[in-house]
Amino acid sequence: MYVVKRSHHNPILVPDKDHYWEDFATFNMSVVKAGSMFYGVYRAISAPDRLRTPEKISIIGIGRCRDGVHFEERVPFIIPQEDWEKYGCEDPRITFFEGNYYIFYTALSKYPFEASGIKVAVAISKDLKKIKERHLVTPFNAKAMTLFPERITGKITVLFSLNTDIPPAKIAVAQMDRIEDLWNPKFWEEWSKDVDKHVIDLKKSPYDHIEVGAPPIKTSYGWLLVYSHIQNYFSSPENLDRIFGIEAVILDLDNPLRVLGRTRGPLLVPRESYELLGHVPDVVFPGRRYALHILWGGGYDQLRRPCESARSSADYASGLEFTLSFCAGGREPYYYP
């Protein structure tokens, strides 16, 4: 049994009709704390322009606040500039790592949209005021890349969703010695020679779809990964309803390919009007948290914040059961054996 209490502040991010670039929709925020300030990067969809193709375009906006809820001073941050992102920048995930902020996002290079034009890119900032460089990361179809906040056994480590538009999608891990390897095609050519050894299989059914959600959080029990698990995404013989859910998994601190525990079912499913209605209806999708506040996009036109506390249980592969409490104000989740 999972209990998630939605925040009374919801939705915490809504389109601003005074800003042309975020007039239509705002969602999928990823948050990082720098000093006393919270910075949130998020996907913003512009007002329609009939003279442009596509009429509405996605960019990455940024806002800041002191309480993690009321994001203000919202401005465009990552705008399409290169050919490999000319049709949009979507769904950012931010991590502070070794002196820089790395913002991974989905770059769209073809319209109408197709898998070969949907790839991962990264923008790098020293101060969250300007982007100092950006790169196309994956030479293949992928989304939802996120960087672990520290090296794992000496290696830079990323998680991402592979083949999201050429299903079945897989959650994959890549490790490297130098950050520059991330945008080196030769690195990915070598990595791709044996994809299956880099994959974490979290699907509960062959008809499900999964995607990386928030950047992983280090705890004393392992890396906590909150992710999107869509049940019955593909048609099954039983013709069951599609359910967008948010779930969680614990990965080994030294080997993120090893799953130590996972939730039995979703922490959150669409329920409120702002989750059931919107740009894409009947959706919840997890974003970056701080102090284990899970931000999620619902209905894909607004952003929500969860509970002050949420409780769930998860099973270790060995069958050991423990309780995971999401607690406001703590530095990490509390686990009770």
Side-chain angles (χ1 to χ4, degrees), residues 81-95:
Q81 293 180 355
E82 308 292 340
D83 285 344
W84 40 260
E85 60 183 0
K86 64 189 296 184
Y87 293 114
C89 305
E90 301 181 349
D91 305 338
R93 289 162 177 80
I94 186 170
T95 300

Side-chain angles (χ1 to χ4, degrees), residues 152-311:
I152 297 177
T153 61
K155 297 285 188 178
I156 298 167
T157 306
V158 293
L159 274 170
F160 63 98
S161 302
L162 174 67
N163 293 336
T164 51
D165 304 277
I166 316 172
K170 301 175 180 179
I171 290 181
V173 174
Q175 294 187 305
M176 60 224 63
D177 295 314
R178 304 180 312 121
I179 197 69
E180 293 82 6
D181 289 335
L182 269 172
W183 47 87
N184 185 341
K186 291 183 178 179
F187 169 83
W188 291 110
E189 181 181 356
E190 187 66 27
W191 182 92
S192 299
K193 288 180 179 178
D194 192 357
V195 168
D196 287 343
K197 76 176 184 180
H198 306 299
V199 168
I200 306 172
D201 187 7
L202 297 178
K203 292 194 297 295
K204 298 174 182 177
S205 159
Y207 306 106
D208 293 351
H209 181 78
I210 53 177
E211 189 167 324
V212 174
I217 306 159
K218 188 177 185 180
T219 78
S220 57
Y221 289 88
W223 292 102
L224 174 64
L225 174 68
V226 180
Y227 67 99
S228 170
H229 194 130
I230 309 170
Q231 300 177 48
N232 312 312
Y233 186 80
F234 304 103
S235 297
S236 65
E238 295 83 7
N239 198 29
L240 300 173
D241 291 338
R242 183 181 294 182
I243 301 173
F244 277 77
I246 293 174
E247 301 200 18
V249 66
I250 297 290
L251 306 176
D252 187 87
L253 286 174
D254 295 325
N255 179 11
L257 287 167
R258 182 174 174 235
V259 176
L260 300 180
R262 64 185 302 175
T263 50
R264 289 192 181 124
L267 299 168
L268 198 73
V269 295
R271 188 189 71 185
E272 303 296 331
S273 60
Y274 51 73
E275 299 160 349
L276 298 171
L277 305 172
H279 176 49
V280 180
D282 204 17
V283 170
V284 290
F285 192 91
R288 173 75 171 181
R289 95 305 160 233
Y290 192 82
L292 276 204
H293 291 160
I294 307 169
L295 305 181
W296 72 93
Y300 272 20
D301 65 352
Q302 301 172 348
L303 184 83
R304 289 100 210 141
R305 180 175 184 263
C307 55
E308 293 307 313
S309 66
R311 292 186 178 179

